[in-house]
Amino acid sequence: MASAVAEQELSDVDWLVMRARSFPKTDPYSAKSWLITAKSLFPQSFVIQFESYLVEKTAKNVDEAARYLQDMLQSFPNEPRLWSEVHSILESLQKESQDQKVAFLIDLFAAIPTSTQCVMLLRVSESISDVLERCQLLLLAMKKFPNLVKEHGLKLVEMLVKEEINSNIVNNPVNCYRKLLVCDVMPLVLQKGGHLEVNMFQLYLWLQRATEFYVSYVSQSHTHDLSVDAENSKGRSSGLPDSEMQVADPWGNLLKLLLLIGQRLKWDMESDLVNKTKEYQIQSLQHQLLRVKLHGTEANNKQILHSAMVLFVHSMVSYVSYVDAESAVVSTHLIPVILVENVTNTKVLSTTPCKAKKPKLDPSLPNIHASPNIPGSAAILQAFETACKCYEILNSTEDMKFEFYNLCQNWRKETQTMLAYFQADLAIYTGNYEEAVTQLQTLALTTNAKMKMRNILQLACCYFFLKQYSKSCELLIDLIDTIPASSPISSLWTAENSLEDKSDTGVRSLLLLHCVEGEILPFCLQFLIFGLKEKMNSPQRTDSILAHLIILLQFDWPKQESLFCQVITAIQKQGSFTYNTFFSYVHQVDILEEFAFLDTVEGGKVNLDIMPISTKAIAQQRTVTRGVNKGVKEDFKATLEKQVGSMMEPSHVLIRRFLKEERTEIMANFN
């Protein structure tokens, strides 16, 4: 009875729709029959038209549903329920996962005529209050209908810039608005905008914003959640989907933007450079930059500035991603590399000191020799040298330096740290060790544990070449004590870092090493050996200096045998040698045999006092007879034989123990 009363209260239209809905989904034809009847009776009813659309949608009839949707958009353009349905369809176009429901809606949208699609996109985008969502939908419309770029492109750029400023996250260039602007909107507007009027000042700002975003993005220690920025700024949860938060090829995108903007500004560039490989693009920009710098005019300063800036950040971050493996999103390298001065450069530096605050890059700069254990070392060095050249250009004039400084102001803290690492290496590269020390001391305050070893080693090298040997020695000994011991070190790479005497060519050389025990420990020892060698050849020579040198030369024996021969010659000339802890640290058979020879007439009959207890003390304890030294000689011979027959301690373990136990005495030799 109640049901009958309720039906009587329904309008004719609602009653017909109710009758159509009463049939099960397995019987769509009966429902369609009722709706056909209803449409013939009420052809202008939106309710009946929308119900017919829902029936076709439920039956997954794409073409029929699309026809009904198009008819409703033309006949009922102001129905809220219709636009809510359109909004749902457009949302499906932006979803990552495509289940059956989403796939149907995408097919449904594709079946609608393009003119209607365009109306749907623009109309819905205008009705959305969420700015980020509105921008995404407008971007989708421009991608699908490039002719819309001329009308809506600049408006979309302004909308994103304004919202970024209003959201209070402009100080962090890595945010959802900047990402959408730089990675999606700018390239589309520049490529599809045709003769769209964008003034020169705007283009420079675009390039600046893009550079800030990309250099900040790649300097993150982990992938930044761009959606969090939007959430924190407005108290809402909307943001970019996870897939859109990633930038697959940051530098490729930035170089492409530079080329597109350069073409707009009529810069001296290859017309089809956008379509070439990234390697070719970089090389072409390098040549173009030098060409414009040499033959350009005042009007070319902006081109020089921005081209050099993009190349600089590309090369600098590429290089520092190897220096600090944890500093960049794009880095896949677990072991940091380190740039250090070759110890054999001491003679070069002593005769030709670098006095200039910031020497210009020229052919007289040092060669860099990379360890063969570093994969892709050629690319690392090329990135470093390119960054150095661009950095020089960016600091070549006061105006350029001022512009460069301003461009760096909005960089993230992580990016500033990367720049500091590069500047420290650049100072070492140009031989400006005082500036390198300043940079390294600043970095020491914030550097992570993994980078501490690198920082200390560079600092020790700088002190060494500034002739502050005591500071250098202290840092090196402490560093060796903290280097994690690994498996026994096999062979020491000596391409250019051998301590053997070489003719003074007047050309410096640097080494690029891996921060691992096998390469760092030998390098540290080279500085200690070289310092002791200098002391050996000076009036301050002592037996302690000679003994310490002999002990260190056991490392990677017999590569330093020629220097050992010089030590033996010095001992023979002075006719005596005293070091009572000799047998605690000297296990190398060749060295022991040489000392046995020194005790003979042929070896110079050197007076050796190297027993644990001084031979003088032993002699005083024995009865004074004509054979006063006989027992001493026998003790010495027995100790030598015992030492030769004993199990040899691995050289790197012995050296570590020696440096730890004799630290104070070693330090005294460098004062």
Side-chain angles (χ1 to χ4, degrees):
M1 183 72 180
S3 175
V5 172
E7 287 189 17
Q8 289 178 359
E9 293 177 353
L10 290 174
S11 67
D12 293 339
V13 169
D14 291 337
W15 185 85
L16 289 168
V17 170
M18 182 199 68
R19 290 293 299 161
R21 288 177 180 172
S22 66
F23 294 97
K25 292 182 179 179
T26 55
D27 185 15
Y29 297 104
S30 297
K32 286 183 182 181
S33 298
W34 275 93
L35 289 172
I36 290 171
T37 302
K39 278 191 289 184
S40 63
L41 294 173
F42 303 100
Q44 300 302 317
S45 171
F46 169 75
V47 175
I48 294 173
Q49 292 273 30
F50 194 78
E51 188 64 29
S52 299
Y53 161 75
L54 292 178
V55 168
E56 300 297 346
K57 178 182 174 183
T58 303
K60 298 194 182 310
N61 295 326
V62 173
D63 293 335
E64 288 299 315
R67 183 173 61 80
Y68 277 116
L69 189 62
Q70 182 185 1
D71 289 344
M72 286 188 291
L73 287 169
Q74 292 175 350
S75 303
F76 310 103
N78 299 315
E79 285 289 342
R81 191 179 176 191
L82 173 62
W83 287 108
S84 177
E85 177 69 14
V86 170
H87 195 176
S88 298
I89 295 172
L90 297 181
E91 279 185 339
S92 68
L93 300 178
Q94 304 175 68
K95 287 184 177 178
E96 297 178 46
S97 60
Q98 291 192 3
D99 54 23
Q100 290 185 349
K101 181 180 178 182
V102 171
F104 173 79
L105 293 177
I106 292 174
D107 292 340
L108 175 61
F109 182 79
I112 297 171
T114 54
S115 58
T116 306
Q117 289 178 348
C118 185
V119 171
M120 290 168 63
L121 286 164
L122 292 177
R123 176 73 181 270
V124 172
S125 67
E126 291 171 358
S127 65
I128 296 174
S129 58
D130 184 290
V131 176
L132 183 62
E133 190 178 349
R134 187 193 315 165
C135 291
Q136 287 179 288
L137 200 55
L138 193 54
L139 175 63
L140 178 64
M142 292 194 301
K143 283 181 177 178
K144 190 164 183 63
F145 307 104
N147 59 304
L148 295 177
V149 174
K150 292 182 181 180
E151 181 181 354
H152 298 280
L154 291 181
K155 181 171 68 176
L156 182 54
V157 171
E158 292 170 3
M159 196 185 306
L160 286 167
V161 171
K162 181 180 179 181
E163 191 63 20
E164 181 185 28
I165 294 171
N166 292 340
S167 64
N168 297 321
I169 54 176
V170 71
N171 290 330
N172 179 10
V174 184
N175 60 71
C176 54
Y177 305 107
R178 184 76 69 94
K179 194 273 175 184
L180 200 64
L181 173 67
V182 169
C183 300
D184 299 296
V185 177
M186 283 184 186
L188 183 65
V189 171
L190 291 168
Q191 284 183 298
K192 306 295 185 181
H195 298 291
L196 190 66
E197 290 297 328
V198 186
N199 65 51
M200 189 180 299
F201 180 72
Q202 279 182 304
L203 290 172
Y204 291 140
L205 284 179
W206 287 12
L207 192 52
Q208 181 177 340
R209 287 179 177 275
T211 305
E212 287 174 1
F213 171 80
Y214 282 116
V215 74
S216 297
Y217 177 82
V218 298
S219 66
Q220 297 170 130
S221 58
H222 54 80
T223 304
H224 190 68
D225 188 352
L226 303 185
S227 62
V228 172
D229 290 322
E231 183 177 357
N232 292 342
S233 64
K234 291 289 187 178
R236 56 180 173 81
S237 59
S238 62
L240 296 175
D242 290 344
S243 62
E244 293 184 29
M245 287 161 49
Q246 311 301 320
V247 182
D249 183 14
W251 297 119
N253 293 348
L254 179 57
L255 287 172
K256 187 175 181 179
L257 269 178
L258 174 69
L259 297 173
L260 290 171
I261 289 175
Q263 289 174 355
R264 288 266 178 177
L265 294 168
K266 296 184 172 23
W267 285 353
D268 179 17
M269 291 179 168
E270 294 183 43
S271 57
D272 63 338
L273 197 55
V274 175
N275 303 318
K276 301 293 179 67
T277 64
K278 185 163 69 174
E279 290 74 17
Y280 183 90
Q281 289 175 343
I282 293 171
Q283 290 178 3
S284 176
L285 281 175
Q286 288 174 334
H287 295 316
Q288 166 256 326
L289 187 58
L290 294 174
R291 187 170 63 249
V292 172
K293 186 175 183 296
L294 289 172
H295 307 291
T297 62
E298 193 70 23
N300 299 124
N301 282 348
K302 287 290 186 181
Q303 178 180 355
I304 295 171
L305 172 70
H306 289 282
S307 296
M309 186 67 176
V310 169
L311 274 178
F312 171 69
V313 295
H314 173 271
S315 304
M316 184 267 288
V317 174
S318 297
Y319 172 69
V320 178
S321 69
Y322 289 88
V323 168
D324 183 0
E326 297 179 353
S327 67
V329 171
V330 296
S331 179
T332 57
H333 321 291
L334 300 178
I335 304 174
V337 299
I338 179 169
L339 187 69
V340 283
E341 185 92 29
N342 191 342
V343 69
T344 56
N345 293 338
T346 305
K347 290 183 180 179
V348 178
L349 290 181
S350 63
T351 55
T352 56
C354 288
K355 296 182 180 179
K357 178 75 174 174
K358 287 185 179 176
K360 287 188 176 293
L361 302 176
D362 56 46
S364 66
L365 284 171
N367 296 317
I368 303 177
H369 304 280
S371 164
N373 299 320
I374 300 176
S377 58
I380 300 174
L381 295 179
Q382 183 180 17
F384 176 68
E385 290 172 357
T386 300
C388 290
K389 291 173 184 175
C390 292
Y391 191 82
E392 182 197 0
I393 291 172
L394 291 167
N395 287 275
S396 57
T397 66
E398 288 302 318
D399 289 342
M400 194 76 72
K401 192 184 300 184
F402 177 76
E403 292 271 12
F404 175 51
Y405 176 80
N406 284 337
L407 289 174
C408 298
Q409 285 306 291
N410 290 331
W411 284 7
R412 293 161 53 91
K413 181 182 177 181
E414 295 90 338
T415 315
Q416 296 287 0
T417 301
M418 296 185 78
L419 179 60
Y421 277 125
F422 167 76
Q423 288 173 323
D425 284 10
L426 175 63
I428 292 172
Y429 183 59
T430 55
N432 189 1
Y433 291 101
E434 291 182 355
E435 173 141 352
V437 167
T438 301
Q439 289 285 353
L440 292 167
Q441 287 175 334
T442 303
L443 278 169
L445 302 175
T446 58
T447 190
N448 58 51
K450 197 171 184 179
M451 295 297 292
K452 189 175 181 181
M453 179 168 67
R454 184 185 192 277
N455 189 281
I456 292 174
L457 182 54
Q458 283 190 323
L459 201 55
C461 293
C462 291
Y463 282 136
F464 187 90
F465 287 104
L466 289 170
K467 300 188 182 303
Q468 298 180 34
Y469 299 123
S470 180
K471 280 186 178 181
S472 177
C473 175
E474 183 177 11
L475 287 172
L476 289 170
I477 293 176
D478 290 342
L479 176 61
I480 291 172
D481 190 44
T482 60
I483 297 175
S486 58
S487 56
I489 301 168
S490 54
S491 178
L492 169 61
W493 168 61
T494 54
E496 286 292 324
N497 53 336
S498 170
L499 283 174
E500 297 175 2
D501 286 333
K502 297 185 178 116
S503 58
D504 185 2
T505 60
V507 178
R508 294 168 55 223
S509 64
L510 271 64
L511 305 175
L512 189 70
L513 306 175
H514 255 157
C515 277
V516 292
E517 183 194 18
E519 296 193 15
I520 297 304
L521 178 58
F523 184 75
C524 292
L525 295 180
Q526 285 184 7
F527 275 93
L528 296 176
I529 290 171
F530 199 94
L532 290 171
K533 179 186 174 184
E534 293 292 297
K535 289 285 186 178
M536 179 186 74
N537 296 323
S538 72
Q540 290 83 33
R541 182 176 73 198
T542 63
D543 285 357
S544 175
I545 289 171
L546 297 175
H548 293 171
L549 194 50
I550 290 169
I551 294 166
L552 294 179
L553 291 179
Q554 292 179 105
F555 184 83
D556 208 32
W557 182 268
K559 287 190 176 177
Q560 308 298 341
E561 190 173 6
S562 61
L563 180 54
F564 172 70
C565 291
Q566 296 177 39
V567 178
I568 293 299
T569 300
I571 292 174
Q572 287 173 324
K573 284 182 179 180
Q574 66 185 28
S576 64
F577 177 72
T578 301
Y579 190 71
N580 297 118
T581 53
F582 182 86
F583 289 110
S584 296
Y585 304 114
V586 179
H587 292 182
Q588 180 53 242
V589 175
D590 294 340
I591 294 177
L592 293 171
E593 289 178 346
E594 189 64 36
F595 270 82
F597 178 71
L598 287 177
D599 192 45
T600 65
V601 176
E602 294 82 359
K605 204 62 178 175
V606 176
N607 184 16
L608 298 175
D609 186 3
I610 57 175
M611 297 288 287
I613 300 176
S614 172
T615 53
K616 293 180 181 179
I618 295 174
Q620 289 172 2
Q621 292 172 7
R622 299 183 186 276
T623 304
V624 180
T625 66
R626 291 173 63 184
V628 63
N629 289 324
K630 185 176 180 181
V632 176
K633 295 286 185 182
E634 290 174 352
D635 290 344
F636 174 64
K637 187 180 295 184
T639 304
L640 274 175
E641 290 174 354
K642 182 181 178 182
Q643 194 80 339
V644 169
S646 65
M647 184 69 69
M648 287 185 62
E649 190 176 12
S651 62
H652 65 104
V653 176
L654 182 147
I655 296 298
R656 281 173 174 271
R657 180 168 61 82
F658 162 69
L659 293 173
K660 187 172 186 177
E661 293 173 353
E662 305 297 328
R663 183 182 188 278
T664 303
E665 188 178 353
I666 297 169
M667 285 289 301
N669 286 332
F670 284 90
N671 288 331

